[in-house]
Amino acid sequence: MAERGGRVPALRVLTPDVPVRAVALVLHGGAQHGLTTVRPWGLAYLRMVALARMLAAAGGRSGLEVCLLRNRVRGWNEPTLHPVLDARWALDRVRVRRPGLPVVLVGHSMGGRVALRIADDPSVAGSCALAPWTPRAEPVEPVTGRSVLIAHGTHDTITPAEDSHDYAVRAAAVAARVARFEIASEGHAMLRRPGPWSRLVADFTLHSAGLGRESDLLARAWAGSGAGRFRVPL
């Protein structure tokens, strides 16, 4: 996929030393508007480099391959939706490399919105959205039949936590299951308390991919009744 100027998405692949059994596709954040090129040293991208490495370390022995997408441009850019197009390109690449294997999506901020938007791809087993940008009109139909995990910091001033709560409530009507965690004293960048973010991402990814047992934390969240499962405190 290329556009005028020759810009193409980039896919960084972390392959384990054992046979690959599942894939995690990691999606970085961005902005509402912007046609500037995403550079490898950009903060939104670098934030997910660390998370991708964590996932590779957590799941490598179980056969998890981690693919980190770098978008062509920084913005969401309605109606073109550049990051959605780039993510679907990445899924096609994963399908060619690893036909028939389950894919778990992990996205932060704008990447969280993308992870929810493209969950309708037949390869996707689950979608994990971290501090996602989910405007009140964001459609929930793409997560139909999927497992969805949302996590949001209580001190996030960039993407409203109440918007992701609204999304979780609406998505529960169509998704296979939805849980949403609220990480106390944490902001948008996921830097104050990295432990809970990493734990959630690793547990959800490995279980959704069929590579690990369901953690007690996730089991309690899925089993929660009513509004409680959309405000699980951490």
Side-chain angles (χ1 to χ4, degrees):
M1 172 190 294
E3 60 180 29
R4 187 161 51 183
R7 289 181 292 190
V8 297
L11 201 61
R12 179 176 179 179
V13 180
L14 304 177
T15 301
D17 295 328
V18 300
V20 175
R21 299 169 55 201
V23 179
L25 177 59
V26 179
L27 308 165
H28 65 80
Q32 185 172 359
H33 306 288
L35 295 174
T36 56
T37 300
V38 177
R39 302 298 185 185
W41 54 86
L43 292 180
Y45 177 75
L46 285 177
R47 187 173 294 121
M48 301 310 277
V49 170
L51 189 142
R53 288 173 175 166
M54 178 281 297
L55 261 182
R61 292 182 180 178
S62 300
L64 181 69
E65 182 171 80
V66 180
C67 297
L68 172 59
L69 175 66
R70 177 158 54 87
N71 296 333
R72 289 169 294 165
V73 298
R74 183 168 179 261
W76 176 260
N77 302 327
E78 191 88 31
T80 304
L81 309 184
H82 285 102
V84 173
L85 296 177
D86 291 352
R88 292 202 185 277
W89 169 89
L91 283 173
D92 287 343
R93 287 295 184 93
V94 168
R95 208 166 2 251
V96 170
R97 287 175 48 83
R98 307 295 181 189
L101 294 188
V103 178
V104 179
L105 305 169
V106 179
H108 173 246
S109 192
M110 182 184 75
R113 186 178 186 181
V114 175
L116 298 169
R117 258 313 161 97
I118 67 169
D120 56 359
D121 187 278
S123 299
V124 172
S127 186
C128 178
L130 309 173
W133 171 36
T134 49
R136 292 299 175 106
E138 183 65 16
V140 298
E141 287 76 15
V143 300
T144 299
R146 302 291 189 261
S147 293
V148 177
L149 184 145
I150 296 172
H152 221 128
T154 59
H155 291 182
D156 193 327
T157 60
I158 305 299
T159 55
E162 285 306 310
D163 283 359
S164 73
H165 177 267
D166 173 77
Y167 181 93
V169 172
R170 291 187 293 114
V174 297
R177 53 187 182 175
V178 180
R180 179 180 171 277
F181 291 81
E182 295 186 339
I183 301 182
S185 304
E186 181 59 286
H188 189 68
M190 308 186 297
L191 297 176
R192 295 176 187 169
R193 299 180 59 206
W197 298 100
S198 296
R199 180 185 176 190
L200 283 174
V201 170
D203 286 353
F204 176 79
T205 300
L206 292 176
H207 179 64
S208 298
L211 302 180
R213 71 174 186 85
E214 185 174 62
S215 68
D216 292 341
L217 178 64
L218 285 180
R220 288 195 301 270
W222 300 132
S225 61
R229 73 184 188 278
F230 305 131
R231 295 191 185 276
V232 182
L234 278 183

